[in-house]
Amino acid sequence: MTNNQTVENRIRLRPVFFVEAIIVLAFFGLAIWSMRGKADQTETTGNPSQLVARADSDFDAHDLSQALLTYWQAVRSIQSKSDPKLNGLLLHAHVRISDIYFQSGWIEDAFQHLQKAVDINPDHIAIHLLQGKLFRDQGARVEAVRAFLKVLEQDAHHPEAHYQSGILYQGSNQFDLAVDHYQQAIAGDLELKSGPSSPTAFGLLARLQLARAYHRRSQKIQFSDQELTDEQIEDLNRMADLAIQFLEEAVSLDPDFAEAKQELIDRLYGQASSLERSQGNIRLYDQALQVYQRITELDPDEVDAWLSIGQIHRSFLDDPTSALEAFRVAYQLDPRTDTLAEIRTLEEELGLNSESSESQDEN
């Protein structure tokens, strides 16, 4: 683009720019006027405890914009009273304001505002917890771990602090430490409490990450250049079983935990494939069949699992009736020509009449 074209574009865009600028300024002007008006009113009529309670309710409902406004009203109301007894409420409001900035992706603003809480009580557990997450998002792993450890010094069973520490250790391939913290997060979150900043309970998230930690650890062993020993192979099998076990627990505790469910399905496909590779042992194909059936229980729309069920029944277990049922389900989900060919062949072998074939085509 030439300089003349650039200038022309600037000239062409200038009226639009001014219109947008006026709209933005008007919006912020109204917002500031509204906040000041409401804040001034609450300074004379608002009760700090009630304001904080209302802001907490909005925060829990994830209405962050309204919560931010109400926390600011509470801060101004508290500051106007100059009562040291209200410092606890003031610290809580400052931490929540910083947390809202953090959840909105304004890390620097969150750090700056958290300092207001630090000035009130630098060793408060909520401050250390939020500092840890802020440091984590800035890539300052050492500082983040220190902050979470300060939380655990005050509450040794804090599930989020254990979970966040596990994430950091896993990120640096310190799997033993990660696993230990995940297990403690699970032990500390028996009631599986969720919150506004984490709608999924940390006890569930820890199970998901435990499975991932075992999977990553096994990958590092598998992809090493050295030949695997019998002990390492046994260890790999153990970790694969543990990964599935923790994912099964997570899905059992929360059937709507979609991320854990998909992870479990992926791990089960790997387990079934490993069993099928052990050719010549019918018992292992029977075990693989059970795994594929478990996949269809988790997600009845898993076409590949239905196709594998059909193939095992047809080729290894000599059960054409069950094979036909599985292929028909697969065809309903994904009407592929090769699946239809399998259905036609099985129907012919079983001596089924043409009417069933016609109804299958119509479906």
Side-chain angles (χ1 to χ4, degrees), residues 125-137:
I125 191 170
I127 293 174
H128 293 315
L129 183 63
L130 186 52
Q131 282 177 333
K133 291 187 283 189
L134 289 168
F135 282 130
R136 178 204 64 197
D137 280 18

Side-chain angles (χ1 to χ4, degrees), residues 101-115:
Y101 286 149
F102 163 66
Q103 293 188 52
S104 303
W106 303 331
I107 304 300
E108 292 185 6
D109 294 304
F111 262 121
Q112 291 174 4
H113 198 85
L114 190 60
Q115 185 59 46

Side-chain angles (χ1 to χ4, degrees), residues 1 6 22 44 49 58 70 74 108 115-116 135 156 161 173 181 194 204 214 240 259 267 310-311 343 351:
M1 181 180 292
T6 303
I22 291 170
T44 57
S49 298
D58 292 329
T70 311
E108 292 185 6
Q115 185 59 46
K116 299 179 185 295
F135 282 130
N173 293 327
H181 279 289
S194 58
L204 294 174
Y214 283 125
E259 193 174 3
R267 299 281 77 76
Q311 290 292 353
I343 292 172

Side-chain angles (χ1 to χ4, degrees), residues 65-332:
S65 59
Q66 184 58 51
L68 179 62
L69 172 61
T70 311
Y71 281 127
W72 272 116
Q73 292 173 354
V75 167
R76 292 190 63 178
S77 178
I78 294 169
Q79 290 175 339
S80 70
K81 299 181 186 307
S82 301
D83 185 352
K85 294 180 181 178
L86 297 175
N87 279 349
L89 282 177
L90 185 60
L91 182 146
H92 175 75
H94 282 312
V95 169
R96 282 296 176 84
I97 291 171
S98 178
D99 198 352
I100 291 172
Y101 286 149
F102 163 66
Q103 293 188 52
S104 303
W106 303 331
I107 304 300
E108 292 185 6
D109 294 304
F111 262 121
Q112 291 174 4
H113 198 85
L114 190 60
Q115 185 59 46
K116 299 179 185 295
V118 173
D119 293 339
I120 299 172
N121 181 2
D123 201 34
H124 194 279
I125 191 170
I127 293 174
H128 293 315
L129 183 63
L130 186 52
Q131 282 177 333
K133 291 187 283 189
L134 289 168
F135 282 130
R136 178 204 64 197
D137 280 18
Q138 282 200 328
R141 290 178 178 272
V142 175
E143 291 83 354
V145 169
R146 286 174 182 166
F148 292 132
L149 289 178
K150 287 181 180 179
V151 173
L152 294 173
E153 287 174 4
Q154 297 185 45
D155 182 358
H157 305 292
H158 198 288
E160 183 175 3
H162 278 300
Y163 172 76
Q164 299 291 357
S165 298
I167 291 289
L168 292 167
Y169 284 124
Q170 183 174 332
S172 59
N173 293 327
Q174 294 177 276
F175 295 113
D176 288 339
L177 288 171
V179 166
D180 179 63
H181 279 289
Y182 290 143
Q183 289 174 337
Q184 293 192 62
I186 292 171
D189 191 22
L190 297 178
E191 296 181 4
L192 300 177
K193 294 180 179 179
S194 58
S197 60
S198 177
T200 303
F202 289 105
L204 294 174
L205 291 172
R207 286 174 169 86
L208 173 62
Q209 291 300 333
L210 259 176
R212 290 175 175 175
Y214 283 125
H215 181 63
R216 283 187 57 187
R217 190 173 187 176
S218 63
Q219 282 184 318
K220 289 181 71 67
I221 296 174
Q222 284 178 303
F223 298 134
S224 63
D225 295 333
Q226 298 178 351
E227 184 177 350
L228 298 180
T229 64
D230 292 340
E231 184 179 355
Q232 286 176 316
I233 293 174
E234 184 178 348
D235 196 31
L236 286 173
N237 293 332
R238 181 185 64 85
M239 287 190 289
D241 290 341
L242 283 172
I244 291 175
Q245 173 189 323
F246 283 112
L247 290 170
E248 286 280 14
E249 285 182 14
V251 173
S252 174
L253 292 167
D254 183 4
D256 295 326
F257 191 4
E259 193 174 3
K261 183 180 289 187
Q262 187 56 55
E263 192 101 4
L264 174 57
I265 289 173
D266 292 342
R267 299 281 77 76
L268 289 174
Y269 270 121
Q271 184 185 56
S273 177
S274 177
L275 289 167
E276 287 183 294
R277 286 196 297 269
S278 303
Q279 297 180 3
N281 190 332
I282 298 299
R283 185 177 61 85
L284 293 180
Y285 279 108
D286 190 57
Q287 291 178 16
L289 175 64
Q290 294 177 32
V291 176
Y292 285 124
Q293 288 171 335
R294 174 57 181 150
I295 292 173
T296 60
E297 291 173 2
L298 292 165
D299 185 355
D301 294 337
E302 278 291 329
V303 177
D304 290 339
W306 286 112
L307 290 172
S308 295
I309 290 171
Q311 290 292 353
I312 291 175
H313 276 303
R314 175 169 173 73
S315 302
F316 302 102
L317 301 183
D318 194 22
D319 186 353
T321 301
S322 297
L324 178 59
E325 292 175 359
F327 283 129
R328 281 177 171 172
V329 174
Y331 186 75
Q332 289 176 350

